[in-house]
Amino acid sequence: MRCCAAALLAAQAARASSSAYFHPAGAPPGPREETIPVVNIGPYIRWREAVDKYWPHDGDAPLPDECELIVKKWGDAFRACGFCQVLGHGVPDDVIAKARELGRAFFETTTAAARDACAGDGGRGYKGVGAVAVAASGVTADGASTIKRPPDYASEFVFLGDGDDAQLPVPGLNDALRDYFRACRRANECFLELTARALHLEPSTFAGDFEGESWLNRLRLAYYPSQAGKPPGTRQLRYGEHTDWQCFTIVAQDKQGLEVEVPCSAEAYAEAPEDRRGSRENSMFVPCTPVPGALTVNAGDQIQILTNGLFRSCVHRVANPDPSDATARLSLVLFTGPRPDARLAPLAALGPPKWAPTTSGDHVR
């Protein structure tokens, strides 16, 4: 006898989602928990898979209570601070580990000449330390300027996954990056569906514009060298304050360093050290500490525009390590986006538009 997907999932689900929030403005007195929300979407993914296999009807399957809670936590996280630590995302651990291992080998075991030979155009390829200055762009979805800083203390390799990327001088790295790229894009399908549900839209609202290939999907290997014996310059960071131009950004972190600008009370802002205060009044930078097994996901400018500002594209940065920390840091960062010709404008169901329409490609050019 075939059972419905909702009942199947209810029997199979083993872990509940969890979420922790920073201390918002106006919160009652008490200890501040300045942490980035954590949401386990595993039960939702298992429910989707069960529906595909076992739901025998033409209509939509009912969403189990456990999944309704996940949708709510997803929406709460991106409305509040635009960032989320996602567990149960479906990207295999070994895919992440292989991309990370071979990615480190590219930056740490190859010669400068070999890396320089992997430079490219159209936003792809290798760039060494000093070639990127993200804070200097100063562009955010709400038109605010970020803090201006010198070039970033980082190098990078950008992979577009379209078959035209450089053949890298580390055996197996191209395949490892392709596997990570594809697995994260599959996870992003679920992230977009959760977003639509959290906004009380049809689950497939965003799906059509994200089908197929797009140069807006790009994987950035961000390598932050050890600063031992080579201290950063005045006001220089590993990666300066910025927002992301595309839709959701999916990050596999290996070490602490990422910091997120979140709203805070006037009291917390006054108490914060100068280098922790945000670029806006009553905001501060809090660490986005890696959670074992989680991917860090943040909303970019295009998500903020599509949701008419309901989901936040949040300013973030990568801080310098403690002077006693002589280690390097590597992040696997997938920027996701729709087709370049997709219409970029607030969805009509979400109220009077706060942004004029354009296309996704024109927004980032």
Side-chain angles (χ1 to χ4, degrees), residues 47-138:
W47 173 77
R48 290 175 86 229
E49 293 172 347
V51 166
D52 287 343
K53 291 180 180 179
Y54 301 114
W55 185 247
H57 308 297
D58 292 334
D60 291 336
L63 199 63
D65 290 346
E66 183 177 31
C67 294
E68 291 277 12
L69 181 59
I70 291 169
V71 169
K72 180 181 184 304
K73 289 182 176 182
W74 183 267
D76 288 347
F78 288 101
R79 286 184 178 94
C81 71
F83 266 76
C84 186
Q85 303 271 34
V86 181
L87 292 167
H89 42 70
V91 179
D93 291 344
D94 61 336
V95 169
I96 298 172
K98 180 61 73 173
R100 177 178 288 140
E101 174 194 355
L102 298 181
R104 271 192 172 269
F106 172 76
F107 292 102
E108 297 178 350
T109 68
T110 60
T111 65
R115 292 191 295 275
D116 288 339
C118 297
D121 53 19
R124 75 171 81 230
Y126 173 75
K127 292 183 178 66
V129 175
V132 179
V134 69
S137 63

Side-chain angles (χ1 to χ4, degrees), residues 305 341-345 356-360 362-363:
I305 293 169
D341 63 349
R343 187 174 188 268
L344 178 63
T358 182
T359 66
S360 293
D362 286 343
H363 176 78

Side-chain angles (χ1 to χ4, degrees), residues 91-106 157 159 161 167-168 170-184 186 219 221 332:
V91 179
D93 291 344
D94 61 336
V95 169
I96 298 172
K98 180 61 73 173
R100 177 178 288 140
E101 174 194 355
L102 298 181
R104 271 192 172 269
F106 172 76
F157 179 80
F159 178 88
Q167 187 62 39
L168 296 169
V170 175
L173 179 53
N174 284 75
D175 290 342
L177 297 184
R178 183 198 62 230
D179 292 346
Y180 177 79
F181 184 97
R182 291 176 177 175
C184 285
R186 286 194 295 271
L219 172 58
L221 278 68
L332 308 174

